[in-house]
Amino acid sequence: MMRRLVLLFTLLLPLVGAFAQELRPYAGATPPLRLKDLAGQVHDLADYRGQVVMVQFWATYCAPCVKEMPSMQRLAARLAGRPFRILAVNMGESEAEVRAFLKKVNVDFTILMDPDGQAIAAWKVFVAPSTFIVDPQGRIRYTLQGGAEWDAPQYVEKLNALMTGQP
Amino acid sequence: MKLRFQAPALLLLLLPLAAWAMEVSMFPLPDGTEVAVRRFPAAGDRLLLWFPCDEGQGTAEAKAAAALVPQGIETWLPDMLGAHFLPMAPSSMDQLPPDEIAALIERARQTGKRVYLVTAGRAALPVLRGLARWRGSAGSQEVEGVLLFYPELYAGTPAPGTEARYEPVVHETVTRIVILQGARSPGRWWLNHLVQAFQAAGSQVHGALLPGVRGYFFLREEQTPEEAAMAAHLPELVRQALDRIDAMKKENRP
């Protein structure tokens, strides 16, 4: 009986990953990103060279954005101490809305504010959430449209590969 | 001529709405199918051809239509998805034949009233295609204009970081257009982009953001208080859009 359960689990396990979205390779230009966080500190993507950066565009009214945030927090925790950062760009909402949201959703990765939609336009974001994975050389390497469980093995492997300079 | 059995079901569903002076008619489509059309007759010279994308059960649209009757605005609500047994999905909208939309526009024009098209979301695609098809055979006739709520007119969902392409009909449409876009949606950041695309084709366009609401605000089951309030103002939003269309027409007169 136990052997059958193990076999069934082994057969079904790949299907779990099969429903997750694949990161889409990106070969276009990387726009600049220079925005303030909630403390008013300016973050420039160029200052994160040497690290893999996950730039995610999100909004409080976006249900998939809210759903994926815990997985982003788990990912950040899992990769703590590694050259990896998350920059979560809020899409044009007020600080009050974002602060109220963050009281309910416990995350400690960096939240950036894009009040005028300049980054949304420059990065060509049409759907929330939209995520860009930037390599240590400052180039966007992958994109993902829609929500994901970011601590899933398929994403962690890709991020690890970028951090260690693998092709 | 085929009859669809959705008409009796529709009538049962809509009996509580009978107090709104609504009539249900079966209009023939080019392929012999019939489409159920909820009609809200009114005495004035404006006729809205309003295409809901919800299998004909749009009570929000019906309530707005009923509220517009005392203002002399007649409304027709064709159940296009129901006529083809299509589920409520963006892909279903892409399948609606332009000929059928064109046939309904022609039927509306035959009343002698000034016809305005109204729709939302992805339904904007078949409606604009139908308008283009109708214009191709209508000679110098025209509809007064089109009201689009949060239109979804990308040719495929644009991937992050790529240039968005619109459906070809955006670049072929020449009419007067009002676009109402929810401010709490990613689409708000591309409203001007869509306005400019329509303008480049020759349309007169007015785009406006509706504060505090997401897309599909008047169709959502889990409305926020702001969305419920805005949905309650749907009749006024529509009437103001019609007035704006009429103003654009006057601006364009030599």
Side-chain angles (χ1 to χ4, degrees), chain B:
Chain B
M1 188 176 292
K2 300 176 208 170
L3 282 176
R4 297 288 179 183
F5 58 78
Q6 80 269 26
L10 194 60
L11 282 170
L12 284 173
L13 181 71
L14 296 169
L15 272 175
L17 305 178
W20 295 348
M22 179 196 67
E23 303 168 8
V24 179
S25 302
M26 301 303 295
F27 285 3
L29 295 173
D31 70 347
T33 309
E34 289 193 320
V35 60
V37 179
R38 287 174 287 171
R39 296 194 300 120
F40 295 79
D45 72 339
R46 281 169 156 177
L47 171 54
L48 301 188
L49 192 48
W50 192 335
F51 293 90
C53 51
D54 60 352
E55 300 173 12
Q57 294 172 25
T59 52
E61 292 93 332
K63 281 170 80 171
L68 291 169
V69 169
Q71 301 179 48
I73 299 172
E74 179 168 342
T75 304
W76 293 3
L77 297 170
D79 178 14
M80 303 304 297
L81 293 181
H84 293 280
F85 297 104
L86 289 170
M88 184 179 67
S91 57
S92 297
M93 293 300 154
D94 292 13
Q95 297 176 50
L96 290 178
D99 281 351
E100 297 184 358
I101 307 291
L104 284 164
I105 295 173
E106 178 58 26
R107 184 76 179 251
R109 281 281 307 168
Q110 286 171 1
T111 62
K113 295 195 176 191
R114 296 186 294 136
V115 175
Y116 306 75
L117 309 184
V118 185
T119 193
R122 190 60 174 178
L125 177 61
V127 170
L128 291 180
R129 285 174 170 168
L131 176 61
R133 182 65 58 89
W134 177 78
R135 283 176 62 96
S137 58
S140 60
Q141 295 182 77
E142 60 174 10
V143 297
E144 299 303 296
V146 181
L147 167 57
L148 301 176
F149 285 98
Y150 43 83
E152 293 171 11
L153 288 165
Y154 292 124
T157 309
T162 64
E163 288 293 337
R165 290 181 302 113
Y166 292 115
E167 290 283 350
V169 73
V170 169
H171 309 293
E172 298 158 0
T173 294
V174 183
T175 186
R176 288 167 286 272
I177 304 172
V178 170
I179 303 173
L180 298 179
Q181 179 71 46
R184 290 172 69 78
S185 70
R188 70 160 290 173
W189 303 106
W190 301 98
L191 174 60
N192 282 342
H193 198 250
L194 178 60
V195 166
Q196 288 165 14
F198 276 126
Q199 288 175 333
S203 286
Q204 290 173 274
V205 192
H206 172 75
L209 292 178
L210 299 178
V213 303
R214 296 167 291 179
Y216 299 93
F217 66 92
F218 56 82
L219 297 175
R220 289 178 178 271
E221 289 182 2
E222 77 309 345
Q223 285 175 331
T224 63
E226 292 81 5
E227 288 167 348
M230 187 68 76
H233 283 94
L234 194 56
E236 288 95 287
L237 291 174
V238 171
R239 191 188 51 74
Q240 287 168 8
L242 303 193
D243 290 346
R244 174 68 68 159
I245 288 171
D246 289 351
M248 284 194 275
K249 188 173 182 180
K250 283 184 188 161
E251 283 167 18
N252 208 32
R253 281 190 188 140

Side-chain angles (χ1 to χ4, degrees), chain A residues 24 26 60-61 92-93 97 115-117 120 123-126 128 130 132 145, chain B residues 154 157-164 183-190 193 214:
Chain A
R24 182 185 176 122
Y26 181 85
T60 65
Y61 55 74
E93 297 182 280
E97 285 173 305
D116 301 320
I120 293 166
W123 286 64
K124 296 185 177 58
V125 176
F126 304 95
S130 287
F132 300 77
Q145 177 181 278
Chain B
Y154 292 124
T157 309
T162 64
E163 288 293 337
R184 290 172 69 78
S185 70
R188 70 160 290 173
W189 303 106
W190 301 98
H193 198 250
R214 296 167 291 179

Side-chain angles (χ1 to χ4, degrees), chain A residues 13-166:
Chain A
L13 189 58
L15 294 178
V16 174
F19 289 116
Q21 292 192 78
E22 289 290 328
L23 290 174
R24 182 185 176 122
Y26 181 85
T30 301
L33 185 75
R34 186 182 164 83
L35 297 170
K36 289 182 182 175
D37 63 19
L38 287 167
Q41 182 183 346
V42 173
H43 293 252
D44 190 320
L45 181 63
D47 294 336
Y48 289 92
R49 292 285 171 92
Q51 300 187 68
V52 171
V53 183
M54 178 173 159
V55 179
Q56 180 232 30
F57 286 81
W58 70 283
T60 65
Y61 55 74
C62 156
C65 305
V66 176
K67 189 177 174 193
E68 72 172 6
M69 280 201 165
S71 74
M72 293 167 62
Q73 183 64 31
R74 291 193 302 269
L75 177 68
R78 182 168 175 171
L79 298 179
R82 306 281 308 281
F84 172 75
R85 287 294 297 270
I86 295 175
L87 299 177
V89 181
N90 179 264
M91 297 171 68
E93 297 182 280
S94 69
E95 281 196 19
E97 285 173 305
V98 173
R99 288 184 191 282
F101 172 83
L102 291 174
K103 282 183 182 169
K104 294 184 247 178
V105 178
N106 193 18
V107 296
D108 58 16
F109 46 77
T110 302
I111 304 291
L112 300 181
M113 302 298 287
D114 185 22
D116 301 320
Q118 289 184 6
I120 293 166
W123 286 64
K124 296 185 177 58
V125 176
F126 304 95
V127 168
S130 287
T131 305
F132 300 77
I133 305 298
V134 180
D135 70 14
Q137 290 72 45
R139 297 171 308 199
I140 299 173
R141 296 290 299 277
Y142 301 103
T143 66
L144 189 78
Q145 177 181 278
E149 289 293 315
W150 283 103
D151 57 341
Q154 68 183 96
Y155 303 124
V156 177
E157 283 167 17
K158 281 265 182 359
L159 296 172
N160 276 329
L162 288 176
M163 280 187 275
T164 55
Q166 296 172 40

